[in-house]
Amino acid sequence: MSDQARAVEARSIQTKRLSMHTRMAGEGFPVLFVHGNCSSSAFFQGLLTRLPRGLRGIAMDLRGYGDTEPKPIDATRGMRDSSDDVASLMDALGLTRALFVAHSAGAGVVMQLAIDHPERVAGLVLEAPISPFGFGGTRDVDGTPCWDDFAGSGGGTANPDFTQRLKNKDRSAEGNTAPRAVLTGSYVKPPFKMEDEEAMLDSVLSTHVSDVHYPGTFSPSAHWPGVAPGDTGINNSFSPKYFNLSAFAGISPQPDVLWIRGTDDVIVSDTSLFDFGYLGKLGFIPGWPGEAQYPPQPMVSQTRRLLERYAAQGGRFHEEVFADTGHSPHVEKPREFERLVFPFLQEHAR
């Protein structure tokens, strides 16, 4: 670990695609930090300040979040609008290769970048990564869709009350759809308390709410639960209709992968409280067609299957599971996280 706190500098970088807001700290081999849905680069502030010598941390706000230019998200490209943005940031900074630390949906961004530009990825830390088949609407470890229109995924799966309160920048803690309640009850495992909760809430509330950002559009479906993906916005970009990382198993060269997750993650899980299949099974969404037609999405198992295929083709991955931890191990167990991640980054900084 570093022997003193690193100063973090906020900078806007003009790329060929858009202006990206970044936080930077340290000097040396570049490490790009990529955040997840409904957050921003602020989620990595603590990690940046403690980054070891010899590493240059660069955390960016993806399009639709924070202070990056809010260009629309074309979901029909999967997450390539965001992964191409990250590649363009590397170009603007003169970086041919980098290490990556990617959280939640950000892992999907970086794995897509690795599919398109494997030579640019020196090593990859996946923290609570989104499934390689996105979020919602698939039935098994191979990503088979429950319905042919991918109903149960996309922009229509977002809670409308949460979306409105996000748009209103509601800072209250009233009700379970308040952004603060989601942050403290789902991003981490209660009763964990964030020392910087207000800054983290600012990060959540920096999400741009619109049809072309969060959550995006949706289409009606004749299939349960009645909504299918639209073609714009972040939630549609990781619908399995458009998003499929199966090709990651065959990339060359093959960067080493460190996969870290919490045992009590309620967002990315084989029993996710944000997955319509699991919510239907629990009785929270009426009309569930049953386990045979629409089982809970096995998100973690899908990731493991892909990484096992990666290993079978010569790649290397290591899985670490943090006990009594939710969706954000780097926030909930920072020292344990850093004891694993910092040596990995130092080893692969070449």
Side-chain angles (χ1 to χ4, degrees):
M1 293 188 187
S2 59
D3 54 6
Q4 62 182 10
R6 301 279 176 256
V8 178
E9 175 191 7
R11 290 177 57 191
S12 288
I13 306 296
Q14 184 63 53
T15 78
K16 291 181 179 179
R17 292 174 56 80
L18 78 174
S19 176
M20 297 192 77
H21 179 261
T22 65
R23 298 167 191 256
M24 299 188 183
E27 297 293 338
F29 196 87
V31 183
L32 271 61
F33 294 84
V34 186
H35 66 81
N37 199 6
C38 295
S39 62
S40 73
S41 61
F43 264 65
F44 297 116
Q45 180 76 12
L47 277 175
L48 289 171
T49 66
R50 297 187 294 272
L51 203 61
R53 293 187 183 279
L55 297 175
R56 178 189 183 192
I58 305 164
M60 77 291 298
D61 295 342
L62 297 173
R63 67 168 64 194
Y65 305 95
D67 295 321
T68 283
E69 184 180 357
K71 286 196 172 183
I73 297 169
D74 178 0
T76 65
R77 303 187 69 231
M79 300 193 84
R80 278 191 171 92
D81 267 354
S82 293
S83 63
D84 287 352
D85 290 347
V86 175
S88 74
L89 177 65
M90 294 178 68
D91 291 341
L93 295 173
L95 307 177
T96 56
R97 295 176 77 237
L99 292 156
F100 291 86
V101 178
H103 182 215
S104 194
V109 173
V110 175
M111 291 176 77
Q112 184 63 66
L113 186 148
I115 290 170
D116 297 334
H117 307 285
E119 73 285 352
R120 306 197 75 167
V121 182
L124 178 53
V125 178
L126 304 176
E127 179 190 8
I130 189 171
S131 160
F133 305 108
F135 213 100
T138 59
R139 62 167 53 251
D140 56 29
V141 293
D142 296 315
T144 305
C146 298
W147 306 110
D148 58 8
D149 64 354
F150 298 90
S153 68
T157 64
N159 182 288
D161 192 52
F162 169 77
T163 301
Q164 187 60 49
R165 296 176 77 167
L166 191 63
K167 185 175 184 179
N168 294 343
K169 301 194 181 301
D170 181 351
R171 303 188 72 89
S172 74
E174 299 172 4
N176 58 14
T177 61
R180 185 186 297 274
V182 175
L183 172 67
T184 60
S186 298
Y187 285 46
V188 296
K189 180 186 177 182
F192 177 81
K193 294 292 185 183
M194 304 176 189
E195 293 181 1
D196 51 356
E197 182 177 312
E198 297 308 314
M200 294 296 95
L201 181 60
D202 288 341
S203 179
V204 173
L205 295 178
S206 76
T207 302
H208 292 260
V209 177
S210 75
D211 284 348
V212 296
H213 298 115
Y214 179 89
T217 55
F218 69 92
S219 303
S221 173
H223 302 303
W224 185 89
V227 291
D231 57 11
T232 58
I234 186 64
N235 283 24
N236 291 306
S237 76
F238 52 68
S239 161
K241 180 176 182 179
Y242 309 116
F243 178 75
N244 186 319
L245 298 178
S246 295
F248 183 83
I251 65 173
S252 179
Q254 295 176 299
D256 287 351
V257 176
L258 174 59
W259 173 22
I260 299 175
R261 62 184 182 87
T263 55
D264 302 297
D265 189 339
V266 298
I267 296 178
V268 176
S269 168
D270 287 0
T271 53
S272 169
L273 292 177
F274 290 73
D275 170 45
F276 276 27
Y278 188 57
L279 291 173
K281 183 176 180 177
L282 294 177
F284 293 129
I285 301 177
W288 181 57
E291 191 97 24
Q293 179 60 56
Y294 208 113
Q297 181 185 354
M299 301 178 189
V300 172
S301 299
Q302 289 173 339
T303 294
R304 186 173 295 109
R305 172 61 69 88
L306 176 63
L307 292 178
E308 287 172 347
R309 288 178 52 220
Y310 185 68
Q313 298 192 49
R316 296 194 302 178
F317 82 94
H318 177 70
E319 178 183 0
E320 284 282 346
V321 184
F322 284 22
D324 194 33
T325 306
H327 188 59
S328 305
H330 81 276
V331 174
E332 299 168 77
K333 302 282 181 65
R335 295 300 180 257
E336 293 92 330
F337 185 87
E338 291 161 19
R339 277 196 290 268
L340 284 171
V341 170
F342 288 172
F344 177 89
L345 297 176
Q346 291 172 311
E347 177 188 352
H348 293 87
R350 57 180 186 273

